[in-house]
Amino acid sequence: MGYMKSDARIYVAGHRGLVGSAIVRELTRLGYTNLVTRTHAELDLLESEAVSAFFAAEKPDFVVLAAAKVGGILANNTYPADFIRDNLDIQNNIIEASYTNGVDRLLFLGSSCIYPKMAPQPMPESCLLTGPLEPTNRPYALAKIAGIEMCWSYNRQYGTKYLAAMPTNLYGPGDNFDLNNSHVLPALIRKTAVAKATGAKELVVWGTGTPKRELLYSDDLAQAVVFLMNLDEGTYGTLLSETEPPLINIGTGEDVTIRELAETVGRVIGFEGELVFDTTKPDGTPRKLMDVTKLNGLGWKYSVGLEDGIRRTWDLVKDSLV
Ligand SMILES: NC(=O)C1=CN([C@@H]2O[C@H](COP(=O)(O)OP(=O)(O)OC[C@H]3O[C@@H](n4cnc5c(N)ncnc54)[C@H](OP(=O)(O)O)[C@@H]3O)[C@@H](O)[C@H]2O)C=CC1
Ligand SMILES: C[C@H]1O[C@H](OP(=O)(O)OP(=O)(O)OC[C@H]2O[C@@H](n3cnc4c(=O)[nH]c(N)nc43)[C@H](O)[C@@H]2O)[C@@H](O)[C@@H](O)C1=O
């Protein structure tokens, strides 16, 4: 426990999602007793009046903004309007309501796709807005960049203390395992499970298999989020500068090719067939490795390695996938 006391009122927006559920688990594990949550059915975060009324009634001290319209490369490419509109609306509503209701610390979750497609690798926080974005997720990335700018602008104009954390690609139990709309790792787990169960000789992997991705287990991400929200005032204050966005990367600092990822999933699940690459599907960004110097410098490092994390996820989901 740190800056947030055990009875602090903490609103986790998106608590049923991959990230939000991991954050609730972590806060509960640490002994937090005053969590505030609402399902999508109970509170539609696109509705600004409903969000204002909810904040006015519940008065959270802290907010983790883990609700968003989220999906993999194909979902982003197929529903660009939904991705930019819903994300802008959700984050605008929550950030404004947090300000008007005196929330102390808010942590906004963005994504590594905010950085330019051809950013230097690994990508430091300072490469934000230094080059063109990857087209397959530009609407989503621009919404997330607007969220960072909102946090920074509110901090500067209103003296709020909002932080924007940019996780790398995430995975874990509670992920979306849909074959079309999900991210690569849950999709590969599901496809591999089906291939094994049906005795298939081949497994179709999208794209060329050469792009590289960095993957972080959701429980590690949750630990990093709570670690940041619990920083002492002085250290937290160093992240909120007048001259730079209040931005921090969360990742492992290590990446693998999509081919290596598919091979690792095959090893964990026990699939021995061939990988076939469907190059009619987009590759997306060639590489987006996070520079995690800033986060490591504060004293946080990931603990669950990739193969271990895939094994943990597989153990938890295998009975529900095929
Ligand atoms: N997954 C990843 O690889 C990465 C995720 N992130 C970021 O982490 C955050 C969480 O992502 P993740 O957990 O993966 O996503 P999920 O889709 O698993 O969870 C998002 C949650 O937000 C809720 N939500 C969406 N729209 C609304 C709405 N209008 N009203 C109320 N609730 C809503 C969803 O509820 P429902 O399902 O009922 O709609 C869901 O519970 C996002 O900001 C994302 O950008 C960043 C980097 C990588
Ligand atoms: C988190 C992040 O996630 C998204 O960006 P992405 O990393 O490009 O997305 P992805 O996980 O879907 O794919 C990664 C790579 O994997 C390849 N790939 C192979 N086979 C499958 C497959 O079966 N499914 C998927 N989805 N991808 C596959 C795929 O072709 C690509 O080369 C954005 O939402 C972005 O906005 C964002 O923030």
Side-chain angles (χ1 to χ4, degrees), residues 123-195:
M123 310 180 295
E125 290 83 356
S126 58
C127 71
L128 180 70
L129 292 172
T130 55
L133 298 165
E134 153 63 28
T136 53
N137 54 38
R138 200 163 87 151
Y140 173 80
L142 282 169
K144 295 293 188 184
I145 292 170
I148 298 166
E149 200 69 19
M150 286 280 284
C151 291
W152 193 18
S153 302
Y154 276 61
N155 291 350
R156 280 156 56 216
Q157 187 174 339
Y158 301 131
T160 52
K161 295 186 284 181
Y162 301 161
L163 187 61
M166 300 302 117
T168 187
N169 290 40
L170 306 168
Y171 69 99
D175 210 339
N176 167 13
F177 288 86
D178 181 271
L179 286 179
N180 287 316
N181 293 326
S182 69
H183 290 104
V184 59
L185 190 42
L188 287 177
I189 290 176
R190 174 119 181 252
K191 283 185 194 175
T192 307
V194 172

Side-chain angles (χ1 to χ4, degrees), residues 17-19 40 43-45 66-68 70 109-110 140 144 167-168 170 183:
L18 169 69
V19 169
H40 192 155
L43 175 64
D44 186 348
L45 296 168
V70 177
L109 284 163
Y140 173 80
K144 295 293 188 184
T168 187
L170 306 168
H183 290 104

Side-chain angles (χ1 to χ4, degrees), residues 146-320:
I148 298 166
E149 200 69 19
M150 286 280 284
C151 291
W152 193 18
S153 302
Y154 276 61
N155 291 350
R156 280 156 56 216
Q157 187 174 339
Y158 301 131
T160 52
K161 295 186 284 181
Y162 301 161
L163 187 61
M166 300 302 117
T168 187
N169 290 40
L170 306 168
Y171 69 99
D175 210 339
N176 167 13
F177 288 86
D178 181 271
L179 286 179
N180 287 316
N181 293 326
S182 69
H183 290 104
V184 59
L185 190 42
L188 287 177
I189 290 176
R190 174 119 181 252
K191 283 185 194 175
T192 307
V194 172
K196 189 185 176 197
T198 58
K201 304 259 177 307
E202 293 183 342
L203 183 108
V204 178
V205 180
W206 293 357
T208 60
T210 57
K212 297 187 92 174
R213 291 294 182 271
E214 173 189 9
L215 293 127
L216 180 70
Y217 191 58
S218 58
D219 285 356
D220 271 344
L221 183 266
Q223 273 187 19
V225 163
V226 177
F227 169 84
L228 288 169
M229 294 196 75
N230 261 334
L231 286 173
D232 66 78
E233 247 171 319
T235 312
Y236 191 86
T238 63
L239 300 172
L240 309 180
S241 136
E242 276 275 316
T243 52
E244 287 164 30
L247 188 58
I248 186 158
N249 292 341
I250 305 180
T252 63
E254 296 158 26
D255 59 3
V256 294
T257 64
I258 296 301
R259 175 190 283 277
E260 287 164 339
L261 187 63
E263 289 168 352
T264 308
V265 172
R267 204 159 48 239
V268 169
I269 298 183
F271 170 71
E272 288 168 356
E274 293 290 313
L275 300 180
V276 176
F277 293 89
D278 173 2
T279 53
T280 65
K281 293 286 195 305
D283 267 346
T285 312
R287 197 176 182 200
K288 43 178 173 175
L289 180 63
M290 290 293 209
D291 183 332
V292 285
T293 309
K294 199 168 172 178
L295 182 61
N296 290 350
L298 294 172
W300 190 87
K301 201 171 182 310
Y302 81 100
S303 62
V304 181
L306 182 59
E307 188 154 343
D308 181 19
I310 294 173
R311 209 172 287 285
R312 289 187 197 200
T313 307
W314 174 237
D315 284 344
L316 290 163
V317 304
K318 61 181 162 199
D319 296 330
S320 59

Side-chain angles (χ1 to χ4, degrees), residues 39-48 50-51 90 93:
T39 63
H40 192 155
E42 289 164 347
L43 175 64
D44 186 348
L45 296 168
L46 298 174
E47 302 290 335
S48 62
V51 174
I90 291 170
N93 290 341

Side-chain angles (χ1 to χ4, degrees), residues 8-22:
R9 214 154 162 64
I10 307 171
Y11 170 44
V12 182
H15 73 290
R16 282 185 165 177
L18 169 69
V19 169
S21 61

